[in-house]
């Protein structure tokens, strides 16, 4: 997925690598760890869980996940940001299979998630017996609404109105994930407009809160699937590194919205390929000759 991101951005000549790369591991667990329920053959299944990319500029990480899940061919990557492409610079629900909501204006994802969660809950509560299958999730439980937020976009006040709403209405089927990489387009979040203890803020608003290493697959899975109150929205503050996986991009604010050139793309992919090979050897128990 990281190589997908780097290559599609290099091909487009514009886009946002830093915040896309920081969220890869979170997206991988959601889509491929057995956490989120979806059906590629029936993408509009009424019982599916929903995912909303509130930080819409990180669209490449969503496109990488959707293509690898089978929603569309990876051949589409080369059309990123092209006129008429299904892969616009920000996700377009009318064009791209698997995209639930068109996003891009920061600060709106959590409000949309709360509205969807409330609507599905009311639908399930009011369904007649012969409608339960359509109102409930794929396993009979209420569909979960997952939304990925950038930490910089938490400076938007609308998020905190949505946080109040979700807690007040006890929307336990809302799961917000904050990509806490501490960098936004103008620099460190704490210099631009300090967010402080994000988890403590959500807790004060009545949310169930967890903190996790956003690059630890096992920890992410455990945090997403652990038993939690059914009457409280849930936020996971994921500590991540901007540009994760590409050494010259890591923790550098300048890579927020600058695409790599061909030479940088080749260097990044070579580095990622080495890491991928080392990871495969570790998982299979292979040695230097494996």
């Amino acid at each position: 997925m990281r190589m997908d991101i780097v290559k599609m951005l290099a091909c487009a000549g514009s886009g946002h690598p830093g915040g896309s790369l920081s969220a890869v591991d979170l997206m991988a667990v959601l889509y491929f760890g057995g956490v989120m329920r979806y059906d590629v053959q029936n993408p509009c299944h009424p019982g599916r869980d929903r995912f909303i990319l509130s930080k819409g500029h990180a669209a490449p990480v969503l496109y990488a996940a959707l293509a690898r899940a089978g929603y569309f061919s990876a051949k589409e990557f080369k059309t990123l940001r092209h006129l008429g492409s299904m892969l616009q610079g920000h996700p377009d629900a009318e064009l791209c299979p698997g995209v639930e909501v068109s996003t891009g204006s920061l600060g709106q994802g959590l409000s949309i998630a709360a509205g969807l969660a409330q609507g599905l809950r009311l639908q399930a509560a009011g369904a007649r017996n012969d409608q339960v299958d359509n109102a409930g999730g794929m396993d009979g439980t209420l569909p979960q609404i997952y939304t990925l937020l950038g930490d910089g976009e938490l400076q938007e006040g609308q998020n905190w109105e949505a946080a109040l709403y979700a807690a007040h209405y006890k929307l336990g089927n809302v799961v917000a994930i904050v990509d806490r990489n501490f960098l936004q387009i103008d620099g460190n979040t704490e210099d631009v407009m300090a967010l402080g203890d994000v988890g403590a803020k959500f807790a004060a608003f009545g949310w169930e809160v967890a903190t996790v290493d956003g690059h630890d697959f096992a920890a992410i899975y455990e945090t997403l699937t652990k038993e939690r109150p059914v009457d409280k929205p849930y936020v996971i503050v994921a500590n991540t590194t901007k540009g994760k996986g590409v050494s010259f991009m890591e923790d550098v604010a300048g890579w927020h919205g600058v695409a790599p050139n061909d030479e940088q793309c080749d260097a990044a992919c070579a580095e990622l390929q080495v890491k991928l090979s080392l990871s495969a050897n570790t998982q299979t128990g292979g040695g230097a000759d494996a």
Side-chain angles (χ1 to χ4, degrees):
M1 288 171 64
R2 285 192 165 93
M3 284 191 282
D4 290 340
I5 290 167
V6 170
K7 289 177 180 178
M8 73 174 90
L9 286 168
C11 187
S14 64
H16 299 79
S20 297
L21 292 168
S22 66
V24 167
D25 303 312
L26 299 167
M27 295 290 284
V29 176
L30 272 176
Y31 277 88
F32 308 112
V35 174
M36 205 166 70
R37 300 163 296 182
Y38 60 91
D39 183 353
V40 174
Q41 302 305 316
N42 184 12
C44 293
H45 190 295
R48 71 192 183 282
D49 293 335
R50 275 75 163 174
F51 174 78
I52 300 166
L53 182 66
S54 187
K55 46 180 261 176
H57 56 278
V61 72
L62 177 57
Y63 297 152
L66 292 176
R68 295 298 168 184
Y71 280 96
F72 55 84
S73 171
K75 293 179 181 178
E76 296 293 332
F77 290 157
K78 64 183 179 183
T79 72
L80 176 70
R81 289 178 162 249
H82 289 193
L83 185 64
S85 169
M86 69 168 63
L87 308 184
Q88 290 298 299
H90 295 77
D92 188 323
E94 296 295 320
L95 295 176
C96 186
V99 173
E100 295 286 349
V101 178
S102 299
T103 54
S105 296
L106 294 175
Q108 297 183 3
L110 192 57
S111 294
I112 298 169
L116 275 172
Q118 178 74 309
L120 288 166
R121 189 179 72 166
L122 293 172
Q123 182 184 51
R128 300 190 305 273
N129 289 337
D130 63 350
Q131 295 176 320
V132 170
D133 287 342
N134 285 333
M138 289 180 168
D139 60 2
T141 61
L142 199 61
Q144 300 294 292
I145 312 299
Y146 298 93
T147 183
L148 180 65
L149 312 172
D151 50 1
E153 75 169 307
L154 290 179
Q155 296 159 352
E156 298 275 2
Q158 183 174 339
N159 287 293
W160 303 104
E161 294 180 45
L164 280 173
Y165 180 95
H168 178 78
Y169 287 103
K170 305 184 188 308
L171 301 181
N173 56 329
V174 171
V175 180
I177 305 170
V178 179
D179 186 0
R180 188 69 166 119
N181 58 43
F182 283 88
L183 290 176
Q184 58 191 106
I185 192 169
D186 289 329
N188 190 288
T189 57
E190 306 312 283
D191 295 330
V192 177
M193 186 175 290
L195 295 167
D197 190 333
V198 172
K201 285 182 167 65
F202 272 97
F205 276 68
W207 286 55
E208 181 76 5
V209 179
T211 301
V212 71
D213 177 346
H215 302 304
D216 183 328
F217 288 120
I220 296 167
Y221 177 81
E222 181 180 353
T223 305
L224 280 166
T225 58
K226 76 173 187 178
E227 188 173 345
R228 60 182 191 272
V230 298
D231 60 349
K232 294 179 72 174
Y234 185 40
V235 63
I236 299 169
V237 181
N239 293 310
T240 64
T241 300
K242 195 115 172 177
K244 179 67 175 179
V246 180
S247 58
F248 61 84
M249 293 184 183
E250 287 188 354
D251 207 28
V252 178
W255 283 105
H256 175 88
V258 177
N261 59 32
D262 290 344
E263 182 180 352
Q264 292 166 330
C265 176
D266 290 344
C269 287
E271 181 179 352
L272 289 166
Q273 185 60 59
V274 168
K275 291 178 179 177
L276 188 63
S277 298
L278 290 173
S279 176
N281 285 342
T282 300
Q283 293 174 24
T284 61
D289 298 327

